[in-house]
Structure formats: C-alpha cells, structure tokens
Amino acid sequence: MKVDMGHPTRMAACFGVLIALLLAGALALMLWNDRHSRIAAAQRQSMALATGSDRLLGAELATLERALRGAARDGRMFFEQAPVHAPALLEQSIRGILERNPGLASITLVDDHGAPLAGGRGDRTLQSWVIPRNRVLAGELYVGALERIPGETPLVRVAVPMQPGQWLLARVRQVMLQRVVSGLDSGRHGVVSISNRYGQLLAHSQDPSMVERALPRPIRLFPAADQVQALGVVSSPLDGMRRIGAVSTPHDYPLMLFAGLGYDEVLAPWWRYLYAAIAIYLLYLAGFAYLLTSMHRSAARQAVLAEELRKGGAELALAHQVGKVGTWFIEGDASILRWSPPTRRMFAVDREHTRLETFLARVHQDEQAALREMLAAAWAGTHPLDTVFRLVLPGGGVRWLSVRGERVAMAGGQRRMTGAVVDVSERILTQARAQEAERQFRLVFDRNPAPFWVFDVTTLRFLEVNRAAVEQYGYSRDEFLSMTILDIRPQTEWASILAAIAQPPHAQAQGPMVRIHRRKDGTVFKVRAHLAQLEFAGVRACLVLAEDISEQLAYERELAYRASHHQGTGLLTVRALAELLDGDARGYTIAHVQLHGLQMVNDALGREAGEEVLRAIAARLGGLGARYGLLAYQPAEDFVFAINSKHDPQMALDALLELVSEPVRGRDFFHQLEPRIGVASCPADGAVAEQVIGKAAQAAHAARDSGAAMARFDGAVARQLAERLQLAGRIRSAIDGGEFELHFQPIRHAADGRPAVLEALLRWPQADGSFIPPGDFIQLCEDTGLIIALGRWVIAAAAEAQQQLGRLGWGHLPIAVNVSAVQFFNSDLVGEFSRAIEACGLARGSLQLELTESSLMRNPAQALQTLQQLHQQGICVSLDDFGTGFSSMSYLQHLPLDSLKIDRCFVTDVDRNPRNAAICRALLALGHSLGLVVIAEGVETEGQYAWLVAHGCHQVQGYLLGRPLPLPALVELLEASAVSG
C-alpha cells in the first residue's frame, strides 16, 4: 500500500536534509581550518627549529675556525722566528688546542697534496675539497666530507691554510655537530639533522647512529639561500616517516640543516576532533531519522484510518455489487415500491421508485399470481416473503431474482415491509448447465462402444455399467449390479486386485494395466484397464474402461516376430541374434558366412530364382543351426551361425564348411557359391555379441583377401582393417585440405632425348618430409570410391600445372594423367577434362590420358564410347602397361588410341634377355602396324636405352632419363638440358 506522508512530513524531511547539508559543510570547514592551522603552526615551529639550530651551528663553526686560525697563526710565527724548532713548538700548540676543544680529534700539518709534514694522518683528497664553495663564513676554514674509519667514530675533515704549501688538517668528532641538534624540542617523531653537500648525514637528533648510514641516492640538494625554506609535508628517505619540515642552506657554510615535526603527531589532536565531528553528525542523522520515521508512522496511521473509513462504504457497495444484492421497501398504502441504487441497476430502471403494480407487470407471467399472493400475505404479517421469480427486462432479457422480506414495525404505528433482493441468474444457469452436463455424461457413458463401469472400492460391487459392458460380457445390467468385480476375474488374480484396491486414495496413480477378464460363458480375454478414482453417489468409487486388446496383442506379437526375423528365410536377424546371445551368460562361437555368387543369381536369373536359392540355403543351414545353436541371416549374402558352448565348435565348423561347399539346387540349375567363413568366439574375442559378430565379419573379409575358405579372427588383421579405415579417413581430409601434390616425370623422344610429354604422378607428402607410397593408398581409394574425388583433383591440378608451363615457355609439353578404371567407368570423365581445360584456358592436346589395358577390358563398349568423346575434345589416350592385360587384338584395333606403353617388366634386361627382347620386338611391331606411338617405360640403363633406339622405339621413360620431380625443379632441369644441348 502506498501511503502519502503528507505535507508536514515532506516539509520536515526537506528542512532536516537542508540542516544536514549545512551542518556537514560547517563541520568540514571547521575541520579544514583546524587542520590547516595545525600544519601551519607546525611549519612555523619547524622553521624556528631550523633557524635556531642554524645559529648554533654557525657559532660552533665560528669557534672551530678561530681555534684553527689561531693555531695557523702560531705556526707561521714559529716558522718565521725559529724554523728549527717550529715543528715541535707547533705540535705543543696543537696539543693545547686539542685539550681546550674536545670536539677536535686531531690536527695535522700537511702539504698542498695532503701528505703529513710532521707526523699524523694526512688526506690525499685535500685538493678536491678545499675549494671556495666549501669555505665557512668567507673565511679560511674549509669543510670536507665525512670520514668513516672502521672501529672509530665518524669524523668530519676541516682545513685552514697556514702558509704557502702548508695546511692544518683537522678532524672534528661528529659529537660536536651532534650537540647542535640534541636537546631540541622536536616532539616524539620530530627530527633535526645536519648533512653536507656531498649528501652525507653528519648529525641526527633522534638516532645519532644514522650518521654511519649512507643516504639513499639520489638525494635532493637545496641551493644556498638567505632564508629558511619551508618544505611542507615531506617523507624521510631514511625511515619513510612523513614530517612537516624546513631546511636551512646558508651561504656562510657548506652544510644543510633540516628540521621537521612528525606529521601524524601534529595531526593527532585533529583526528580526535574529526571523530568527534563525525559522531556529532551521525548523532544528528540518527535523531533526524528517528524524528522523520515517527512522523512517517503517524502520517501512515492517519492515512490507514482514513483509507479504512473510505473503504468501509466502498466494500459495502462492492459486496452488494459482487453479490448482486440490493434492498427495497414498501410503506404507506403499499402502492409505491422503493429501492437502493444496486436494486435499480438490477431491475434496469432509472428511477428510485415505481408503482408496485407497474413492477408486478414486469414479472414473468408464470410467477405473477404466486408473487402477488406472497406479497399480500407478507404485508398482512402472516409470514415473511421468500421466493424466486423471473423478471423481464425492458430489452426483453430475463433475470432470475431471489427476494426475501417481511413487515417491520415503525414509529407511529405505520406499516413498512423491507427486504433484500439477489440476482441468482448465473446460479440458475450454472445449475442448468450442470444438469445438462450430467445428462450428456450419462448419454456418453451409456452409449460408449467401450465397456465402462463404476464399482464401490470398499465392497467391490458394481454401481453402474454401460450397454457395451452388458454386450461384451453377456451379463444383464441387473446381474452386473448384483455382482462384484471379482466375478469377472479369474480367481488366480483376486489377490492382486485386493492389493491394488487397498492402496490409499492419494497413492501414485498407475497407468493402464493389462488384465485377464472372463465372460458369462467362461471364455477369457485380455483387456487394458484404464482406472480413475472418483466419488459416486457419496461413496468412494472407481471408474473403469476395459479395452479389449486380444487382437492388438496378437498383432504386436506378429510385429515383434517380423522385427526379429527375416521375412524371406524365417531366420533371426543379426540384431535379434545378438540380443539373445547377450542374454545368455555362457560362451559361444560365431561363424560369419559370406556366400559370394548369391547376388549374382538375383541379377542374372531374377529375384524369384534368387529367393528360391536363398530359401534352399536357409533350409540347409537352419537344420545345422537347430542342432548346434542359432542361425541368423544378414542380407544380401551373409549368414551368422552361433555355436553353443556345449557343442564342439570345430565339429560344427567342419559340418558348416562341408554344407556350404556343396552346390545349391535352384529351379533349373545347380549353383556353386563361393563360401568365405570368419570365426570369432566369446569371451576370447569380445564380451558383447555385436563385437564378436563384427570380428567374425572381419575374419571373413580376411579370408576373402587371402583366398582361404575359413579364417579365424586375428588381432593383426583387425588392426590392418582399422588402419585401412583410418587411412581412408585421412585420405578424405587430405583431399579436402589440399595435402596431395603432383610430381612430373619426362617422357623423351628416343632419337634425340628431347622432352615429349610430362607424366603427372601423385605424391602424398607428410609432416616429417617423407611420402606415403601410392601403392599404399591408391587401391584403398579404389575400394572406397575416394579415387573419383582424388582423380578429379589430379585432373584440375594437372591443368593448372600445364597453364604454369605455358607461362614459363614450355607450353608445348602436354601433361599425361593416369586414370583409374573406377573413375573411368563411374564418373563424368569427359566433363571433368573439359571443365579443367576451359578453366585454365588450355589448347587442344595440352592434356593426355593414360589407362591400363586391364581396366579397358572391364566394359569394352562403354570404354569405346568414352574414348571417342575424349578424342573429340583433343585429349590423346595412351594404353599403359601394355602386354600385361591379355587384350583381344581384334578389339584393340578399334579403340581410338594414340600410344602404347610397354610395361617395365618387359624392358628390364631387354639388352641381355632374349625372351624380353622377343616380346619387346613383337610389341614394337604391333604398335608400328597400328600406327601408334610406342613408349617404353622403366628405362634405367644405357644398354636398355640403346637397344630401344636401335629397334625403333619412339619414346622412352625412366630414371635414366629423369626422375619424378616437382614442377619448378623439373623446369629447371629442362632448361639446363636445353642450354647444354
């Protein structure tokens, strides 16, 4: 509730805040003035200390100067009057001076270089400090640096000239300077110190031992001044304490005197003053807050009282409005009916009274007569008025009104009848809707096609059943109502029913449950019971819908069977077999059977013939599976045979191998299938059936690769397969990441050695600088289909390389690309070459194609069509590894070829082996007769090269003539050979 504090409270708050601001300002000003005054007084005191100490120091130095000048004067006199006895006389005079001046430690006669002339300790640095700026009072006394001698107190060196070439060197005890700064009133943390212009501390009032310490460098040196200088608040370089200081650097002597009072000590009384001011201010704030809170509470209480008074009438009016309650009265001759404003709104009239007859005329005609009689009886005082009737509104609407009233006695014997009227239209309509809903529920309950009933949870007796239940169970409605729910359930389930009924009403509701019910004729069937607890006719009951699911369960069983069995063979699926094996803790042996040739029967003889052969194999192996364990089928050519641990696995495997090796009879033929069996066992090869089956499949693949009929799982085979899969993944990433590169090997004219063609060879470099051999990944690419994407990249890369050759002046050299049979027959090879040539702007004949002889023979008709299209694009075709594919010579002459490449196995030892020489002569003759260019590959010796030239070979290729190189290196080699040629 938001309370307006009122004008006085706001005024008090504003005035209090203003006083708080003024008080804060006054206290802050007083504190600032007091702090400033204290610091200024401390500054003046420090300057007074510096001034007084300066005078004392000057007096001490003047006394010292007089003593030393007297000694010098005596010395000059001794040397003038008695030169022979002058040193002894001077020494005697010096002893007298030392006795009279305890501050002097020694006086020594030295020359201009500081060397002693009559005993004592000299000073080699004399000439460095007897300079004008170290002279005292513009006289003859010079002050030098502090001298620290181990085991002795610090001494200050001073000197006066005695006569040309002679000086009196004196060492003054530090205690003489210490007397100047001792006993001064500088406070507990104040200090007075003397230092020289070398940055050395000579005296310290608080701690004389500090003289032996070196001042931190660099130190601040003040210039000479006539007045004492105020420094304000400074931090000591020795102890880090803040002080309010002053410094004296007079022109009269080369010493600096510092005086300072402790900053914290000076402001200690001010801090107490600050805390007292803060306490006074907080005390004011607390008193002001208390006063403001008291005024706020008082204003809030007044506002609450006013609000309660205001809401009293409003709540009464609201109660009449929400409850649709109004008042009315009749007095006098009972002809005028008067009412309150809520009643006027209820009657939809705009006047405060009307004639009673006019009002009764608006009452629904069905209730007018009864209302007139009750009004007359109430006016006569016979009994009070209490009735419900309908009132017709001016717009034609109807409202239900509940009226109560009675006659009351008035002063003067007058009669008056008063009462209240309530609009009950919504209640009447709600009751009507509830009755209609009950009627509709009864209709839905009784006409529902699913059996419904309600039973008493306590007695288990049926309270109501619908027509579907009567028809489904065969009992009449009267028979149902005389029975309990136990009568339609088998006796074996009575205990579970009673346990479920015994649960408290607030227990967690159960989902639909499958139950067994019994009809009147004794037949039983399964139902899914949906239950809901409710109150029926004042008792705790339960509503049940009984859904007959007998057909649904049968359908689900059929679906489950189809999900776990192959429809054509009736055998288990591999997944279902794995689930059964995992449910059995005992060991087993898996034989994964691949029957190659089964799919060929489908392709060659049709699907019906293939299914007939499949069923024959399934029937044959099914008997073996029933005898030794379980059998599953995995489309399209694989069977999985699980051998139980109680049987001898080897005996079962022998029987299996013998069984699958026999020909299978089809509709018209016997079919010999090629079996490959892989064997793995549990738990030796895995603990999960899926793993064991997978390893058996790997063993079957290994058997196929090795040509054996049966192979057991071997970890090395699994690793090899895994490495192949990993390598396949790396190949895909390498293609996408552009890791491959092309090297190029020249094919040269045999006659003069000029380059004729560059063959593009694929290389896969690794991070360590090595290369994965093409033999390790090309076959894998063909097996996985990656050879298509890789070959597409090679064509595009070769076209870019040819474009680069053109820019380097070697555009006349075409590049030959090797194409796999998989890429040749399973991709748009003509389109890929055309797009690469167009993208790089190459001329016709810039790219060539190399195909193996065996790949063309896979589908000669398609090969012929593709080669013709390539020739139309200006792409020359070379037949690689010629002589190894056992091609049909009659068909070969129709292929649009441009060159033949004699395989390296025939070129090897051609100059020494008559058999190889005969084969090469025949191949050369065949190529010449067909008008083709003949290329010999694998030329590695001069003898091979000479033989091929002598027998008319057109072009040669091999390590003798150039190894495969990256394009830049190969271009350099070609340019070098061109220059040398």
Side-chain angles (χ1 to χ4, degrees):
M1 177 180 67
K2 183 178 181 181
V3 179
D4 186 5
M5 294 188 299
H7 182 67
T9 306
R10 290 197 298 272
M11 288 294 294
C14 294
F15 187 68
V17 170
L18 180 60
I19 292 177
L21 294 176
L22 292 175
L23 179 60
L27 290 174
L29 181 61
M30 292 171 60
L31 288 169
W32 185 86
N33 286 333
D34 183 72
R35 181 179 182 277
H36 180 72
S37 299
R38 292 179 185 277
I39 292 177
Q43 184 68 73
R44 290 193 296 272
Q45 185 178 354
S46 65
M47 293 177 69
L49 284 172
T51 302
S53 301
D54 179 53
R55 292 173 182 171
L56 292 174
L57 181 59
E60 289 286 346
L61 292 175
T63 302
L64 178 62
E65 182 185 18
R66 285 194 298 271
L68 291 178
R69 288 176 65 184
R73 186 172 56 252
D74 293 342
R76 285 194 298 273
M77 183 181 65
F78 294 151
F79 276 97
E80 289 176 0
Q81 298 177 0
V84 177
H85 302 286
L89 293 173
L90 178 60
E91 182 178 355
Q92 184 178 359
S93 175
I94 289 174
R95 281 199 299 271
I97 293 174
L98 293 176
E99 291 175 357
R100 292 191 300 272
N101 295 277
L104 286 170
S106 65
I107 300 175
T108 307
L109 179 63
V110 298
D111 60 12
D112 285 338
H113 301 289
L117 298 176
R121 191 168 69 247
D123 183 8
R124 296 294 184 182
T125 64
L126 178 67
Q127 289 299 319
S128 65
W129 55 270
V130 288
I131 55 179
R133 69 185 184 93
N134 288 341
R135 190 163 54 190
V136 175
L137 300 174
E140 296 180 348
L141 178 65
Y142 294 86
V143 180
L146 187 69
E147 184 178 32
R148 296 184 179 92
I149 300 174
E152 297 184 10
T153 59
L155 301 173
V156 179
R157 289 171 288 186
V158 298
V160 295
M162 191 179 73
Q163 57 185 357
Q166 293 180 344
W167 293 78
L168 286 180
L169 172 65
R171 287 176 169 84
V172 182
R173 292 187 175 91
Q174 183 265 340
V175 68
M176 186 187 79
L177 299 177
Q178 188 66 33
R179 285 200 306 268
V180 175
V181 299
S182 298
L184 298 177
D185 184 15
S186 60
R188 188 157 54 93
H189 298 295
V191 68
V192 180
S193 64
I194 302 173
S195 57
N196 58 22
R197 290 178 181 173
Y198 296 101
Q200 294 175 321
L201 185 65
L202 305 180
H204 194 279
S205 63
Q206 291 289 342
D207 186 4
S209 64
M210 287 189 178
V211 174
E212 299 181 4
R213 306 179 194 173
L215 290 176
R217 299 285 182 168
I219 64 171
R220 182 181 178 185
L221 297 177
F222 295 88
D226 295 329
Q227 300 292 331
V228 175
Q229 303 177 51
L231 299 179
V233 180
V234 295
S235 295
S236 171
L238 292 175
D239 55 11
M241 185 173 293
R242 292 193 301 169
R243 294 184 176 89
I244 302 170
V247 64
S248 174
T249 55
H251 294 282
D252 295 339
Y253 48 83
L255 298 178
M256 182 174 65
L257 194 144
F258 172 82
L261 301 179
Y263 177 79
D264 294 337
E265 187 176 3
V266 170
L267 291 185
W270 181 83
W271 284 107
R272 292 193 292 272
Y273 188 23
L274 173 64
Y275 296 149
I278 293 174
I280 292 172
Y281 191 71
L282 292 177
L283 189 62
Y284 167 77
L285 290 180
F288 173 64
Y290 177 75
L291 176 62
L292 193 63
T293 303
S294 300
M295 295 181 66
H296 176 78
R297 289 176 180 172
S298 177
R301 284 195 295 269
Q302 293 179 2
V304 169
L305 291 175
E307 184 70 14
E308 289 178 352
L309 290 175
R310 184 184 64 80
K311 286 186 176 180
E315 288 177 355
L316 180 60
L318 183 62
H320 283 177
Q321 181 180 354
V322 174
K324 297 183 179 180
V325 178
T327 58
W328 57 272
F329 63 92
I330 303 172
E331 59 184 1
D333 58 356
S335 61
I336 301 300
L337 176 63
R338 300 180 185 275
W339 45 60
S340 62
T343 309
R344 187 170 69 245
R345 291 191 295 270
M346 199 178 305
F347 293 162
V349 295
D350 54 0
R351 294 185 298 172
E352 295 182 357
H353 59 84
T354 187
R355 294 187 61 81
L356 182 60
E357 286 298 327
T358 303
F359 173 77
L360 291 175
R362 293 177 54 187
V363 177
H364 197 277
Q365 59 183 1
D366 295 342
E367 287 97 17
Q368 276 189 18
L371 182 58
R372 288 178 184 273
E373 292 179 1
M374 286 187 283
L375 275 172
W379 184 254
T382 306
H383 54 76
L385 175 66
D386 188 1
T387 185
V388 177
F389 62 89
R390 284 172 288 178
L391 181 69
V392 181
L393 301 180
V398 178
R399 302 202 68 81
W400 287 87
L401 302 178
S402 174
V403 179
R404 294 178 62 87
E406 59 182 338
R407 197 180 74 178
V408 295
M410 300 290 292
Q414 294 183 355
R415 291 190 297 174
R416 181 176 183 174
M417 186 166 64
T418 184
V421 59
V422 181
D423 187 349
V424 295
S425 301
E426 293 183 1
R427 186 175 67 190
I428 297 298
L429 291 176
T430 301
Q431 291 176 352
R433 284 195 293 266
Q435 292 173 356
E436 177 63 19
E438 183 178 359
R439 186 189 68 81
Q440 292 178 359
F441 171 76
R442 172 63 64 179
L443 183 64
V444 171
F445 178 82
D446 193 57
R447 300 289 179 85
N448 198 298
F452 267 100
W453 61 76
V454 180
F455 69 91
D456 188 333
V457 174
T458 304
T459 63
L460 305 184
R461 285 192 170 276
F462 288 96
L463 300 178
E464 190 58 75
V465 295
N466 69 345
R467 187 180 306 172
V470 171
E471 295 174 355
Q472 176 77 349
Y473 288 82
Y475 298 100
S476 66
R477 182 174 181 276
D478 294 336
E479 288 176 327
F480 260 119
L481 297 181
S482 64
M483 297 163 50
T484 69
I485 60 172
L486 299 178
D487 295 328
I488 63 170
R489 301 290 298 278
Q491 191 172 359
T492 55
E493 295 194 1
W494 285 5
S496 62
I497 298 172
L498 297 175
I501 296 300
Q503 292 184 352
H506 56 77
Q508 185 176 1
Q510 297 181 353
M513 298 172 289
V514 177
R515 305 292 191 189
I516 298 177
H517 283 194
R518 185 175 58 197
R519 299 186 180 91
K520 184 177 181 179
D521 59 5
T523 58
V524 294
F525 61 101
K526 289 186 177 181
V527 300
R528 180 178 287 112
H530 303 264
L531 293 81
Q533 295 193 12
L534 71 161
E535 186 175 337
F536 187 85
V539 299
R540 181 186 166 208
C542 185
L543 175 67
V544 180
L545 181 149
E547 178 188 1
D548 187 355
I549 59 171
S550 301
E551 295 182 358
Q552 179 182 348
L553 291 177
Y555 178 68
E556 290 177 355
R557 286 193 296 270
E558 177 65 21
L559 288 180
Y561 177 82
R562 292 186 178 185
S564 60
H565 290 74
H566 181 255
Q567 187 174 359
T569 61
L571 298 177
L572 289 170
T573 62
V574 175
R575 176 176 294 181
L577 174 64
E579 292 176 354
L580 291 174
L581 293 176
D582 287 336
D584 188 357
R586 294 172 297 178
Y588 50 85
T589 300
I590 296 293
H592 194 283
V593 184
Q594 297 179 351
L595 297 177
H596 295 280
L598 186 58
Q599 186 63 38
M600 188 181 298
V601 175
N602 266 327
D603 297 339
L605 302 180
R607 184 175 57 84
E608 293 184 0
E611 290 180 353
E612 185 175 348
V613 174
L614 177 62
R615 286 192 293 270
I617 297 173
R620 180 187 296 179
L621 296 179
L624 193 65
R627 187 191 318 166
Y628 290 101
L630 297 171
L631 183 67
Y633 175 65
Q634 177 174 299
E637 296 181 338
D638 297 350
F639 290 84
V640 179
F641 179 30
I643 305 169
N644 291 336
S645 58
K646 62 182 180 180
H647 298 289
D648 182 6
Q650 190 58 47
M651 182 181 298
L653 292 173
D654 293 342
L656 173 64
L657 183 60
E658 181 180 356
L659 205 62
V660 297
S661 299
E662 296 178 1
V664 181
R665 183 178 181 83
R667 180 178 303 175
D668 300 316
F669 305 97
F670 281 96
H671 303 281
Q672 181 65 54
L673 304 179
E674 181 183 1
R676 293 290 183 265
I677 303 174
V679 182
S681 61
C682 173
D685 298 320
V688 180
E690 186 176 355
Q691 296 177 352
V692 181
I693 294 173
K695 291 180 178 180
Q698 294 178 15
H701 287 293
R704 182 189 64 184
D705 295 340
S706 63
M710 182 181 297
R712 292 188 176 271
F713 173 76
D714 184 3
V717 174
R719 286 190 296 272
Q720 184 179 0
L721 292 174
E723 290 173 358
R724 283 173 58 85
L725 291 176
Q726 292 176 358
L727 185 60
R730 288 186 57 197
I731 293 171
R732 168 58 67 185
S733 301
I735 296 173
D736 296 337
E739 296 181 18
F740 288 98
E741 61 183 37
L742 291 182
H743 287 194
F744 300 88
Q745 186 177 24
I747 300 174
R748 298 181 181 273
H749 292 287
D752 54 10
R754 289 181 298 105
V757 183
L758 300 182
E759 181 180 0
L761 300 174
L762 187 63
R763 295 294 184 265
W764 188 2
Q766 302 302 298
D768 59 357
S770 63
F771 290 85
I772 296 180
D776 291 351
F777 63 86
I778 292 297
Q779 184 60 47
L780 179 59
C781 289
E782 292 185 349
D783 294 341
T784 58
L786 292 173
I787 194 65
I788 295 177
L790 185 58
R792 187 182 303 116
W793 178 88
V794 170
I795 294 173
E800 293 175 359
Q802 224 292 325
Q803 184 184 37
Q804 187 176 356
L805 282 175
R807 290 196 295 265
L808 297 174
W810 294 90
H812 61 282
L813 287 180
I815 294 179
V817 178
N818 289 280
V819 175
S820 164
V822 176
Q823 182 184 7
F824 185 82
F825 290 107
N826 295 280
S827 68
D828 181 16
L829 190 63
V830 178
E832 291 173 3
F833 270 98
S834 299
R835 285 189 291 271
I837 292 172
E838 182 179 355
C840 295
L842 303 182
R844 289 175 61 88
S846 297
L847 293 181
Q848 296 185 5
L849 172 69
E850 289 192 7
L851 283 170
T852 61
E853 182 182 359
S854 56
S855 63
L856 286 178
M857 294 300 101
R858 292 188 180 184
N859 190 340
Q862 182 180 349
L864 176 61
Q865 181 181 2
T866 302
L867 292 179
Q868 289 173 348
Q869 294 175 357
L870 290 171
H871 254 276
Q872 292 174 2
Q873 298 290 334
I875 299 172
C876 297
V877 180
S878 177
L879 190 62
D880 198 5
D881 298 340
F882 183 67
T884 62
F886 305 102
S887 304
S888 170
M889 295 297 107
S890 62
Y891 187 79
L892 189 62
Q893 64 180 342
H894 299 292
L895 291 177
L897 299 176
D898 297 282
S899 59
L900 300 176
K901 295 187 74 173
I902 302 175
D903 189 77
R904 66 180 60 249
C905 65
F906 302 126
V907 176
T908 302
D909 296 336
V910 68
D911 55 333
R912 297 191 301 268
N913 189 331
R915 183 184 296 273
N916 285 0
I919 296 175
C920 285
R921 280 194 296 269
L923 295 177
L924 287 168
L926 176 62
H928 294 159
S929 64
L930 294 175
L932 301 178
V933 175
V934 181
I935 306 170
E937 59 181 357
V939 179
E940 298 180 354
T941 65
E942 292 290 349
Q944 296 170 358
Y945 182 38
W947 190 96
L948 293 168
V949 171
H951 288 80
C953 183
H954 300 111
Q955 296 176 3
V956 289
Q957 177 185 11
Y959 284 175
L960 177 66
L961 306 165
R963 291 177 176 271
L965 294 172
L967 187 62
L970 182 63
V971 170
E972 292 181 3
L973 178 64
L974 293 176
E975 291 177 349
S977 62
V979 171
S980 62

